[in-house]
Amino acid sequence: MSAIGDTDRRHLWHPFTQMADWDKADPLVITHGKGCELYDEHGNAYLDGSSSIWVNLHGHRKGAIDRAIKRQLGQVAHTTFLGLTNPPAALLAERLVRLAPPGLSRVFYSDNGSTAVEIALKMAFQYWRQRRVDPRPQKRRFMHFNHAYHGDTVGAVSVGGIDLFHATFRDLLFPSERVEFPYCYRCPFGKSYPACASACLEPVERALAEKGPEIAAFVVEPLVQGASGILTMPDGFLKSVRELCSRHDVLMIADEVATGFGRTGTLFACEQEGVAPDVMCLSKGITGGYLPLAATLATDEIYQAFLGRYEEFRTFFHGHSYTGNPLGCAAALANLDVFENEDVLARVQPRIRHLWRSLNDELGDHPHVGEIRGRGLMVGIELVADRDRRTPYPLEAQVGNRIGRKIRERGILIRPIGGVVVLMPPLAMTRPQLTRLVRGTRWAIDQVLAGA
Ligand SMILES: *Cc1c(COP(=O)(O)O)cnc(C)c1O
């Protein structure tokens, strides 16, 4: 084993990883990258099929972003945001507000998706307590969907809906209201689309009508629930949820941490249904996958409720050591420049079409593929032991994990979730690379399932 691999095994503890299994194989040590490829310490190349866990957009060592970070490094790496400001942070806020859905006019920075969500929850909570007209301090709970994922800090886990991740911490969490999510392939109402006529909206409406007076905000992953296996909303569902929130006086928090920055084919997923949330959480792709940065955007209505004389203590009491980090903000500005200068959103459309065509050609009739779903460059391939009965593979079989390991032999890196193979290529992945990704995926699925 390599020296780095050995050092890792002696000292490190990896996220979402059974470390007893980690110790069984040599760790893959990535030393550098270029474009959509990563290289290990022996010089082997791997296609980055997970965008380094959903963050990378334009490939690695993108010239424009590299240069922007170096330029900022020549000025200063970090200064506090308490009592000071800095050019990249101010300019980025202006750009984000211009690009975000209408009404979002204030930007609060943090470092990762989970903190962006924590901030959104605390903002919504405090807003209802102290707004000038008709304060509603009884609105102090949150609503969320089954299968939702909003991060791993305790507040974000409290509004999460993935029992496997969340059950252990139940006694630590604040209570929140869970609403059934329209996971169409396994419809919780036993209906099928589109004959169901969106029966899945009824429980949302009922929950909001019943609990609305106690609910501060509804936290939603717009269009796609990522971490639970790329579960997609039926068309029009998001827009209806927005309307129901407004009708029942509940704030809508759009968690665009995964879907933001072109992932679903538009800059933000909310745009596809003309939805303007009250609060929006951004991270992952915000720096093009370079540095940890997050932003929570809020409406002026929310912001105004925090203004007052000092001694009223309406201040939003929240902050982090690295809030408004200039290097991260410089990377994010360069990321937005790339979107503009290279017309990324237009140029990604034929790649998206190519990816979905390849998926259908290679895997559409596969006896162990139950469903291929997603939006844009977010793909979930749900594997089933029996296609007619939609029988999932047992978690212990670890089919996803095994496929993720097998596909490395073909020089590809992906990160499946349970029995769902997830493909999340950077927006910059070329058509030949996308073809290789899909063919490699089929090969690995066949190799692993032949023995399952
Ligand atoms: C990844 C993710 C988060 C958490 O972001 P971190 O940066 O990992 O803390 C929150 N919400 C969604 C939808 C995500 O996909």
Side-chain angles (χ1 to χ4, degrees):
M1 196 194 325
S2 73
I4 293 294
D6 185 52
T7 308
D8 175 295
R9 296 221 310 206
R10 275 185 289 120
H11 299 292
L12 279 173
W13 193 342
H14 287 259
F16 283 99
T17 301
Q18 176 42 257
M19 293 305 289
D21 289 343
W22 179 258
D23 282 349
K24 287 177 193 157
D26 288 356
L28 180 56
V29 181
I30 297 296
T31 53
H32 58 291
K34 180 78 190 152
C36 295
E37 289 193 313
L38 294 168
Y39 297 84
D40 69 15
E41 54 189 339
H42 311 295
N44 300 309
Y46 300 86
L47 215 45
D48 188 359
S50 79
S51 293
S52 296
I53 288 296
W54 312 8
V55 299
N56 192 278
L57 303 178
H58 315 296
H60 300 277
R61 281 166 59 208
K62 179 77 184 169
I65 306 180
D66 287 12
R67 284 192 297 275
I69 294 172
K70 285 178 188 159
R71 223 168 20 245
Q72 182 56 38
L73 208 46
Q75 300 292 316
V76 67
H78 182 69
T79 53
T80 179
F81 226 46
L82 295 167
L84 305 174
T85 190
N86 67 72
L91 295 172
L92 177 62
E94 183 186 41
R95 292 275 290 275
L96 289 174
V97 165
R98 202 161 71 223
L99 294 167
L104 297 164
S105 60
R106 288 283 161 180
V107 177
F108 196 101
Y109 289 120
S110 62
D111 333 316
N112 61 74
S114 307
T115 53
V117 170
E118 294 284 338
I119 287 163
L121 299 175
K122 289 173 75 177
M123 241 177 214
F125 179 89
Q126 196 174 339
Y127 161 76
W128 287 110
R129 294 177 76 83
Q130 64 186 36
R131 67 176 189 168
R132 300 263 179 198
V133 181
D134 185 24
R136 312 264 295 271
Q138 65 279 19
K139 286 169 89 68
R140 55 195 179 80
R141 286 157 69 98
F142 295 92
M143 203 168 264
H144 66 88
F145 280 117
N146 194 10
H147 311 296
Y149 178 77
H150 298 293
D152 292 333
T153 52
V154 172
V157 174
S158 296
V159 291
I162 303 179
D163 288 333
L164 181 66
F165 297 174
H166 301 151
T168 309
F169 301 110
R170 186 152 298 136
D171 289 349
L172 207 54
L173 309 178
F174 56 73
S176 58
E177 296 293 330
R178 185 184 294 197
V179 182
E180 207 55 69
F181 181 82
Y183 179 1
C184 289
Y185 181 64
R186 301 181 185 283
C187 178
F189 313 108
K191 309 226 175 204
S192 56
Y193 185 79
C196 56
S198 299
C200 43
L201 269 174
E202 268 166 45
V204 179
E205 181 151 33
R206 205 171 333 114
L208 282 167
E210 246 171 59
K211 312 274 182 173
E214 305 156 35
I215 302 295
F218 197 154
V219 196
V220 178
E221 287 167 83
L223 300 189
V224 185
Q225 289 195 318
S228 48
I230 318 293
L231 307 183
T232 51
M233 290 179 170
D235 288 345
F237 187 81
L238 180 69
K239 192 176 178 60
S240 301
V241 171
R242 164 74 271 189
E243 285 162 7
L244 289 169
C245 285
S246 301
R247 190 180 313 156
H248 295 283
D249 236 351
V250 165
L251 297 176
M252 178 182 181
I253 299 172
D255 176 355
E256 290 248 16
V257 169
T259 51
F261 299 99
R263 225 350 111 192
T264 67
T266 48
L267 192 62
F268 301 115
C270 281
E271 291 169 26
Q272 293 187 33
E273 303 215 337
V275 163
D278 299 289
V279 181
M280 184 161 88
C281 305
L282 301 174
S283 188
K284 288 202 167 95
I286 193 170
T287 58
Y290 268 66
L291 288 164
L293 180 74
T296 305
L297 276 65
T299 58
D300 191 55
E301 160 75 21
I302 293 172
Y303 176 72
Q304 289 294 328
F306 290 78
L307 303 182
R309 279 174 292 107
Y310 177 85
E311 61 276 20
E312 283 182 277
F313 300 117
R314 295 171 153 265
T315 306
F316 185 43
F317 291 109
H318 189 104
H320 298 281
S321 313
Y322 285 97
T323 298
N325 175 253
L327 281 179
C329 293
L333 280 167
N335 170 40
L336 293 176
D337 285 342
V338 171
F339 268 97
E340 263 181 49
N341 298 340
E342 302 185 18
D343 211 3
V344 168
L345 288 173
R347 286 176 51 192
V348 77
Q349 304 307 325
R351 294 189 190 128
I352 291 172
R353 285 194 296 274
H354 176 80
L355 172 64
W356 286 90
R357 231 179 0 249
S358 309
L359 285 164
N360 277 324
D361 290 350
E362 297 287 333
L363 288 158
D365 298 325
H366 195 284
H368 292 295
V369 170
E371 188 182 43
I372 309 173
R373 56 176 176 252
R375 296 282 172 106
L377 295 175
M378 294 182 92
V379 178
I381 302 163
E382 180 160 344
L383 301 174
V384 285
D386 182 319
R387 190 169 163 142
D388 293 330
R389 297 182 172 174
R390 306 190 173 187
T391 321
Y393 283 99
L395 274 182
E396 312 81 79
Q398 294 200 54
V399 290
N401 280 344
R402 284 157 56 205
I403 289 165
R405 274 199 299 273
K406 191 74 194 168
I407 200 169
R408 290 184 185 181
E409 293 172 20
R410 286 279 171 111
I412 297 172
L413 299 176
I414 58 171
R415 178 87 184 175
I417 301 169
V420 178
V421 174
V422 175
L423 304 184
M424 192 79 64
L427 274 55
M429 194 171 275
T430 63
R431 281 190 258 185
Q433 287 174 323
L434 289 167
T435 304
R436 234 188 92 205
L437 175 64
V438 173
R439 294 207 175 133
T441 299
R442 192 193 61 183
W443 174 82
I445 289 174
D446 285 339
Q447 292 283 308
V448 168
L449 296 189

